[in-house]
Amino acid sequence: MPKASSARKRAAAEDLPANVVFERDIRLDAKKRATLTGAEFEHYHMMVQNDGTIVLEPRVLARPATVAPRTLAMMDESVANLEKGSVGGAIDFARYRGLLDADEE
């Protein structure tokens, strides 16, 4: 497959919406897989929307050894509490709605 010239890449980039860095057409292989050439991350979270749009969000996974011991202990305690059914009540965020509305102005 021939590579796009620099001039063609610039012209195509000018036609893209502001938040799109590049776009490309892909096809699925026989096993229904797509290859992400030039991907910047190793792991992605995939979401399929009602209209068939596929959204990939980069994920950076941390090894447990790189997470602070106190943080790991708090996470273990939280999971244990959840398993015991010892959880807090629902939080009503309605009182904070005014803050969100003020930020949108």
Side-chain angles (χ1 to χ4, degrees):
M1 172 184 260
K3 293 190 175 188
S5 70
S6 295
R8 208 164 78 211
K9 286 180 185 176
R10 278 193 303 275
E14 291 171 2
D15 295 336
L16 296 175
N19 63 336
V20 176
V21 177
F22 70 90
E23 66 179 3
R24 147 181 319 128
D25 290 331
I26 62 168
R27 67 178 182 83
L28 301 178
D29 67 11
K31 293 184 177 182
K32 304 292 185 195
R33 298 175 298 191
T35 301
L36 299 176
T37 55
E40 295 182 28
F41 294 87
E42 185 176 344
H43 298 278
Y44 289 86
H45 175 74
M46 181 186 78
M47 295 173 284
V48 180
Q49 298 175 350
N50 289 340
D51 65 356
T53 300
I54 298 173
V55 178
L56 298 175
E57 290 182 348
R59 290 289 193 247
V60 178
L61 305 179
R63 290 188 172 89
T66 63
V67 178
R70 285 181 57 198
T71 303
L72 288 174
M74 287 174 51
M75 291 169 59
D76 290 340
E77 183 181 348
S78 296
V79 170
N81 286 337
L82 180 63
E83 289 173 347
K84 290 189 292 188
S86 176
V87 296
I91 299 172
D92 181 13
F93 289 101
R95 68 184 201 185
Y96 300 108
R97 184 67 196 170
L99 296 173
L100 293 174
D101 293 337
D103 285 345
E104 292 175 0
E105 294 175 356

